[in-house]
Amino acid sequence: MASDSSPASEDTFQAPVCCSARYNLAVLAFFGFFVLYALRVNLSVALVDMVDSNTTSADNVTSKECAEHSAPVKILRSQTGKRYQWDAETQGWILGSFFYGYIVTQVPGGYIARKVGGKRLLGFGILGTAVFTLFTPIAADFGVGALVVLRALEGLGEGVTFPAMHAMWSSWAPPLERSKLLSISYAGAQLGTVVSLPLSGIICLYMNWTYVFYLFGIVGIIWFILWISLVSDTPETHMRISQYEKEYILSSLRNQLSSQKSVPWVPMLKSLPLWAIVVAHFSYNWTFYTLLTLLPTYMKEILRFNIQENGFLSALPYLGCWLCMILSGQAADNLRAKWNVSTVCVRRVFTLIGMIGPAVFLVAAGFIGCDYSLAVAFLTISTALGGFCSSGFSINHLDIAPSHTLDAAPLVYFSASLQGLATGRYAGILLGITNTFATIPGMAGPVIAKSLTPGNTIAEWQTVFCIAAAINVFGAIFFTLFAKGEVQNWALSDYHGHRN
């Protein structure tokens, strides 16, 4: 009955929040993931300014598709940034190359974190990405091959970050505070996207695209210095934590289930509910990564927004997504706790909303032609509705392989939903499996989309949007048919075995 006593002990001995070591860790982690996503997406905007579109046929085609929308920019724009004659397919390979490194370190990240510590792994992962980002202009001068390799190396660094952070919170987060701590930490990822897209546009406009990489690279290095200086892997090794807070954290985690037993790999990989999550995650990410990497290009080549407007408008969908993630998490918990709606029903409904909804508005955005206002509105609604999936398939890992703390802390569902991170015994392993498959769209999506849009015509982009929508619909249907909301047998028997 250890799990029943743990919550009580937290209520009795809860340490103050203000200036605490665990919340300082959450704030630093917030800025770390802010930097992480800024480093990931800044190329999407900068690439628009790196390519010499005046020498490509695509520029002539788009000028006939839609009238120039943006008013002339009344400043003397810097022309010092070098331009490259990269065709659409080459740009697709450049944008997708990040994920070739990212996929490699997804599963090993958690294992490495246990060996060297999450602090070092997360810190050096972001540091490596930041340093490589500083060399982006040099790599671009060397050629496409060098830039592709550099971006893949950045992906290697970023791939370990979520497993590393997850490993740290397993030692730092009291069960009843996981919602707050994880929410703070991973909110930085979405906000990093929201801020970096318009900021990159402003930098390109007033300076030149090279400074996009210099600025974010330097910020990453500054964050690393603060991270290494101020945080520790565990409360026991923290130099400035109060004795009261240390005892509070350690006592709340004292009865956590052991994770040293063998993993039931064969039953796990034969589990249809797991593959339902894999298919849904893959399908969702196809649309997410396609828009994340190519939306600035679409804004420029089709909707004809200038680089400054481009960045701001490209960020709008992700601000909407962030808001929907927060609202859907609260709504899902209320449906389960107050209205007694079954877990599997909540997961299916929120997945359907988060995948069918975006598919409808994505197709609509492609078929409204040059109506700029509606196009931006539909793309924003499409991406924003995807936030509902955070309370659908992306949290389903916890349902089919939970930890003993779920009954005591139901709001952990919301915290985990913010980035799909699970806090259960096998849920972290399941996340590694599903996220590995879900990284494939990041590699293939931009390449395929670019190859389908050599002339950057509305008809070509309609094809891209329809393919993404069809994949989304398939994933939603597959998940609805085969998803489960209860603990699976392969997790249940071992789970009870450990409790006894």
Side-chain angles (χ1 to χ4, degrees):
M1 302 301 294
S3 61
D4 296 329
S5 62
S6 179
S9 64
E10 286 190 65
D11 292 335
T12 305
F13 302 109
Q14 186 169 10
V17 169
C18 182
C19 302
S20 64
R22 64 192 187 282
Y23 277 88
N24 288 342
L25 172 61
V27 171
L28 276 170
F30 169 90
F31 286 109
F33 284 98
F34 181 98
V35 171
L36 195 73
Y37 268 65
L39 294 172
R40 179 185 297 195
V41 305
N42 56 14
L43 180 64
S44 299
V45 175
L47 188 65
V48 175
D49 220 34
M50 293 168 70
V51 176
D52 185 6
S53 59
N54 291 326
T55 63
T56 65
S57 60
D59 186 72
N60 295 328
V61 173
T62 53
S63 65
K64 298 176 183 177
E65 287 281 334
C66 295
E68 186 72 41
H69 171 265
S70 304
V73 181
K74 298 179 180 179
I75 64 169
L76 183 61
R77 183 172 174 175
S78 172
Q79 299 293 331
T80 56
K82 189 174 179 180
R83 301 296 195 275
Y84 304 95
Q85 297 185 12
W86 294 331
D87 60 22
E89 185 177 357
T90 300
Q91 294 175 51
W93 282 106
I94 292 171
L95 291 171
S97 58
F98 169 91
F99 298 98
Y100 285 94
Y102 189 72
I103 195 173
V104 172
T105 48
Q106 282 294 311
V107 175
Y111 176 80
I112 299 173
R114 292 176 59 184
K115 296 295 182 181
V116 304
K119 169 188 172 179
R120 293 183 181 86
L121 188 61
L122 178 61
F124 283 103
I126 296 181
L127 175 65
T129 304
V131 171
F132 286 130
T133 298
L134 291 173
F135 287 98
T136 301
I138 298 175
D141 274 338
F142 272 104
V144 173
L147 184 56
V148 166
V149 170
L150 186 77
R151 288 290 292 178
L153 290 173
E154 291 181 30
L156 282 174
E158 288 207 16
V160 303
T161 51
F162 281 102
M165 188 75 257
H166 189 54
M168 289 192 70
W169 281 128
S170 68
S171 299
W172 273 97
L176 295 185
E177 291 189 21
R178 283 178 180 155
S179 297
K180 300 173 186 176
L181 293 170
L182 290 173
S183 298
I184 294 170
S185 302
Y186 300 119
Q190 288 293 332
L191 292 182
T193 302
V194 170
V195 172
S196 65
L197 286 173
L199 183 57
S200 296
I202 292 173
I203 294 171
C204 287
L205 182 66
Y206 287 88
M207 302 167 76
N208 69 57
W209 61 264
T210 61
Y211 290 96
V212 171
F213 303 106
Y214 295 147
L215 173 66
F216 289 114
I218 291 172
V219 170
I221 293 173
I222 293 173
W223 173 87
F224 170 78
I225 295 172
L226 294 174
W227 177 260
I228 290 296
S229 304
L230 298 176
V231 307
S232 299
D233 281 306
T234 64
E236 295 98 320
T237 58
H238 198 284
M239 299 294 293
R240 291 170 296 279
I241 189 173
S242 68
Q243 187 65 28
Y244 189 74
E245 182 183 7
K246 183 192 296 185
E247 287 298 322
Y248 161 63
I249 295 173
L250 295 179
S251 63
S252 69
L253 297 174
R254 191 165 292 146
N255 296 315
Q256 294 288 295
L257 294 178
S258 171
S259 60
Q260 302 301 315
K261 299 294 183 179
S262 61
V263 178
W265 288 109
V266 174
M268 185 185 292
L269 294 176
K270 288 182 178 180
S271 174
L272 193 55
L274 170 60
W275 289 103
I277 302 173
V278 169
V279 172
H281 202 171
F282 177 96
S283 303
Y284 173 83
N285 273 16
W286 187 282
T287 300
F288 180 82
Y289 282 137
T290 297
L291 288 181
L292 184 67
T293 53
L294 296 179
L295 191 57
T297 299
Y298 182 79
M299 291 287 189
K300 178 191 177 186
E301 301 295 349
I302 299 298
L303 301 182
R304 309 302 302 283
F305 290 104
N306 65 44
I307 192 70
Q308 184 178 23
E309 294 173 314
N310 194 334
F312 281 104
L313 293 173
S314 296
L316 272 180
Y318 301 100
L319 179 60
C321 183
W322 181 72
L323 292 173
C324 278
M325 290 168 76
I326 295 175
L327 295 175
S328 67
Q330 299 284 12
D333 282 339
N334 284 334
L335 285 172
R336 296 178 67 250
K338 295 183 179 180
W339 295 86
N340 249 356
V341 180
S342 68
T343 299
V344 69
C345 182
V346 170
R347 301 298 172 239
R348 287 170 176 171
V349 169
F350 278 72
T351 298
L352 285 171
I353 296 173
M355 297 184 76
I356 302 294
V360 171
F361 282 97
L362 192 59
V363 172
F367 281 89
I368 52 136
C370 298
D371 190 324
Y372 310 105
S373 300
L374 271 181
V376 173
F378 285 169
L379 288 170
T380 300
I381 294 171
S382 176
T383 303
L385 286 176
F388 280 88
C389 285
S390 63
S391 295
F393 73 84
S394 71
I395 196 63
N396 195 220
H397 311 78
L398 270 173
D399 301 323
I400 64 175
S403 74
H404 76 295
T405 60
L406 288 184
D407 291 337
L411 283 180
V412 76
Y413 277 101
F414 168 56
S415 67
S417 75
L418 285 173
Q419 281 296 327
L421 279 177
T423 59
R425 180 162 174 337
Y426 296 127
I429 298 173
L430 301 187
L431 176 67
I433 295 171
T434 62
N435 210 33
T436 298
F437 283 96
T439 303
I440 296 173
M443 299 184 292
V447 175
I448 293 174
K450 279 292 188 179
S451 66
L452 292 173
T453 56
N456 269 320
T457 65
I458 292 177
E460 290 171 348
W461 280 95
Q462 287 173 351
T463 302
V464 172
F465 290 159
C466 285
I467 290 174
I471 293 174
N472 248 26
V473 170
F474 172 77
I477 294 173
F478 192 93
F479 181 83
T480 301
L481 291 176
F482 300 110
K484 299 294 182 183
E486 64 274 4
V487 182
Q488 297 302 289
N489 290 334
W490 48 264
L492 189 63
S493 58
D494 189 65
Y495 172 71
H496 283 303
H498 280 292
R499 285 181 64 94
N500 296 333

